[in-house]
Amino acid sequence: MKKNYIFTSESVSEGHPDKLCDIISDAVLDLYLSKFNESRVACETLATTNKVILSGEIRGPKIESTEIENLVRNEIKNIGYNQKGFDYKILEFHNYLHKQSDDIALGVDSSGIKDEGAGDQGIMFGYACNETPEFMPAPIIFSHKILEALSKERKSKSIIGLGPDSKSQVSINYVNGKPNNIDSIVLSTQHDENLNQDDVKKIVEPVIKKALPNNWDIPSNKFFVNPTGRFVIGGPDGDTGLTGRKIIVDTYGGAAPHGGGAFSGKDPTKVDRSAAYVARYLAKNLVASGLSDKCLIQLSYAIGISQPISIYVNLFQDLKNLDEKIISLIKKNIDLSPKGIRKLLKLNNPIYKKTASYGHFGRKTLDDGSFSWESLNLKSLFEKI
């Protein structure tokens, strides 16, 4: 493998049109789980100029459309959209959520001696590496941190003149396979009409500096802020948003494969979400145990079948068939059925809106059970090998 190289990842803020849709879809999911924690939800959101449309399949308690609409408007308000082309107060809202297919339910539900099956076929990946304290690739972590810091400053009004819609891109120089310094940073952020490109750069530069490691400088010749020169019209008014279009932002920034299935708006019977979470949990604990500097795990499922069809482990080095020992250990100790994963990680709680922006991985496990898959409480299992 190459030792010296540049690798780039990007992130988007909660005000990005696609991320706004992810947040809405996960807020709807949380609403259903808060009323019945075994609700089945697959919620898709579309947002465009002063219009939001929900569609998807539900099996759970009856919730009036007005309650869902109020929830959606409040989420948009919290993000900061009261602009002419996208205003939480006046936008049109359409709700086309409907009942889940009985055929899907038949394959997923447990009955008699049949275990609960996976909600769909598919492949899911989990990844971890030891190049950051979060056990995540450095480019995606710092892309997230920059936008999260800017959002916090904007909402607290510590900085004035920036809008909710923004994107970051961080390129990092790797030396001997380890992140060494910043090669370039690209930031595009929505701003008020009266600000020019230099004004925006002066606002964001100190915030970005604080988000980076103390010994990493922003390269003056490769620091690009609003490269087009102007970004006044933003959000869904400037670009239509859809749930599930930022799956690489949600995961590892392109440093690891992605199975293709989005997370947001899906309840945890959908292995697109729950199996990706448990694969990350396994990979992170394995790397934290010291067995390898990085680890990739793939799980595959078939709709209606409980246990994974296959498990693949890659430690990126020849460790005398250690991957086979790991697979055997996982099979003996971890129930990777959808029900087993939900029980292990406590996924039936309304914890999902927090995941929808700034990454599903590399976050802190919270007291309410959010980001349980980031816990290191499985590390001792792999230390026994």
Side-chain angles (χ1 to χ4, degrees), residues 12-17 79 81 83 147 154 162-167 188-191 231 233-236 238-239:
V12 297
S13 70
E14 74 261 37
H16 184 280
I79 292 170
Y81 279 112
Q83 302 168 2
L147 294 183
R154 174 179 63 85
L162 301 187
D165 191 358
S166 57
K167 301 176 74 171
S188 296
T189 180
Q190 190 181 12
H191 59 86
F231 187 3
I233 299 172
D239 186 15

Side-chain angles (χ1 to χ4, degrees), residues 64-248:
E64 295 297 331
S65 188
T66 52
E67 184 174 357
I68 295 173
E69 178 176 352
N70 290 337
L71 172 75
V72 170
R73 291 187 188 276
N74 192 55
E75 293 300 333
I76 296 168
K77 177 184 178 182
N78 290 339
I79 292 170
Y81 279 112
N82 57 350
Q83 302 168 2
K84 181 180 178 182
F86 198 71
D87 188 332
Y88 73 94
K89 297 187 297 295
I90 65 170
L91 60 80
E92 292 181 36
F93 174 76
H94 302 272
N95 180 2
Y96 298 108
L97 295 170
H98 61 274
K99 180 185 174 185
Q100 182 191 50
S101 162
D102 290 335
D103 289 345
I104 291 176
L106 182 66
V108 174
D109 291 347
S110 58
S111 61
I113 61 171
K114 175 185 173 296
D115 289 335
E116 178 185 298
D120 201 354
Q121 71 175 47
I123 56 175
M124 298 83 205
F125 288 94
Y127 178 77
C129 58
N130 62 8
E131 63 188 51
T132 64
E134 297 86 358
F135 293 92
M136 287 286 286
I140 187 64
I141 278 292
F142 293 116
S143 295
H144 288 325
K145 286 182 182 294
I146 286 169
L147 294 183
E148 200 167 10
L150 284 170
S151 175
K152 183 178 179 180
E153 298 289 318
R154 174 179 63 85
K155 289 183 174 181
S156 69
K157 301 193 184 304
S158 298
I159 56 177
I160 305 296
L162 301 187
D165 191 358
S166 57
K167 301 176 74 171
S168 64
Q169 185 171 285
V170 176
S171 300
I172 291 181
N173 280 306
Y174 282 71
V175 177
N176 292 323
K178 298 294 183 182
N180 183 264
N181 62 283
I182 300 287
D183 179 76
S184 66
I185 293 177
V186 182
L187 178 80
S188 296
T189 180
Q190 190 181 12
H191 59 86
D192 289 351
E193 180 88 36
N194 61 324
L195 297 179
N196 61 34
Q197 191 177 26
D198 289 336
D199 295 331
V200 174
K201 191 171 186 177
K202 289 176 184 176
I203 292 170
V204 302
E205 188 166 7
V207 180
I208 292 174
K209 179 64 178 174
K210 289 180 184 178
L212 299 175
N214 291 333
N215 60 332
W216 284 12
D217 294 323
I218 299 174
S220 57
N221 63 329
K222 288 189 176 181
F223 179 37
F224 308 101
V225 176
N226 286 358
T228 65
R230 177 180 167 89
F231 187 3
V232 174
I233 299 172
D237 186 33
D239 186 15
T240 295
L242 290 169
T243 300
R245 287 206 299 196
K246 288 292 176 283
I247 58 176
I248 300 303

Side-chain angles (χ1 to χ4, degrees), residues 358-370:
Y358 310 117
H360 292 245
F361 308 127
R363 311 287 290 275
K364 291 182 180 179
T365 301
L366 303 177
D367 292 340
D368 66 356
S370 303

